[in-house]
Amino acid sequence: MILLSHIPFQLSGFEIQRVMGDENTLIITAAAQGSVATCPSCGQNSQRVHSYYIRKPYDLAISGQSVQLNLRVRRFRCQNQDCARQTFAERLPEVVAASAQRTVRLTELLSIFAVALNAQTASRLLARLAMEASGDTLLRLVKRTLLPPVTAPKAGRRR
Ligand SMILES: [Zn+2]
């Protein structure tokens, strides 16, 4: 493992703390920066951090290496006495969706490939670009991208 301290890398709302890598994969460690999070149940803001946890979504490849993030994100304590929820995880809608294995920007890129090509071709091409995704995953993205379903135009009568 080598330590790389200065590569240009942006991740909205996060401070990059460390970049480690071998010849195949970069592991980029970053911590969420915002000091306030909004409770999804009652809508009240909280600044009380309850705990930390790590999420490891894949991100866009850099210089032919796959990138896995090591995100330190927080669980906040809801301070509203009347709220049924005691703690909640901070939402990171610009970076990674709840329980997603890939960042939003990586998912968008995969979707573009999947829609433009067939899933198997897209999967092979993406593997060459160090962003692996199975054909099944890409098919799911195509379906999601194309939703809401477009109603097929009625076929005209042909003679
Ligand atoms: Zn609440």
Side-chain angles (χ1 to χ4, degrees):
M1 288 291 220
I2 36 171
L3 177 64
L4 308 161
S5 54
H6 298 293
I7 60 166
F9 183 80
Q10 298 289 328
L11 195 62
S12 174
F14 282 83
E15 182 191 53
I16 309 305
Q17 297 183 318
R18 199 166 66 152
V19 181
M20 301 285 288
D22 57 27
E23 64 272 28
N24 296 317
T25 306
L26 289 176
I27 296 174
I28 299 178
T29 301
Q33 289 300 288
S35 57
V36 174
T38 305
C39 173
S41 292
C42 68
Q44 187 167 303
N45 287 338
S46 173
Q47 294 183 299
R48 291 235 354 239
V49 174
H50 171 265
S51 55
Y52 295 89
Y53 64 104
I54 300 291
R55 290 192 59 188
K56 297 185 172 184
Y58 284 93
D59 195 20
L60 298 173
I62 297 176
S63 61
Q65 289 170 289
S66 65
V67 171
Q68 186 168 26
L69 302 178
N70 200 347
L71 301 180
R72 187 182 193 233
V73 295
R74 296 159 300 185
R75 184 162 271 286
F76 284 81
R77 183 178 293 285
C78 183
Q79 293 180 271
N80 179 356
Q81 308 267 332
D82 300 325
C83 181
R85 191 184 286 264
Q86 297 192 319
T87 68
F88 60 93
E90 64 184 319
R91 297 292 193 267
L92 308 163
E94 290 172 22
V95 174
V96 59
S99 78
Q101 296 170 5
R102 294 181 175 85
T103 59
V104 171
R105 60 193 179 188
L106 175 57
T107 304
E108 283 174 358
L109 185 84
L110 297 186
S111 300
I112 290 168
F113 274 78
V115 169
L117 306 165
N118 71 62
Q120 292 308 324
T121 305
S123 179
R124 279 201 302 276
L125 202 51
L126 286 161
R128 293 283 299 274
L129 298 171
M131 290 175 280
E132 296 202 10
S134 70
D136 286 347
T137 296
L138 294 171
L139 273 180
R140 267 200 306 281
L141 289 177
V142 170
K143 285 181 190 155
R144 202 196 301 168
T145 304
L146 299 180
L147 283 176
V150 182
T151 51
K154 281 185 181 164
R157 263 198 168 185
R158 284 192 195 161
R159 303 214 161 207

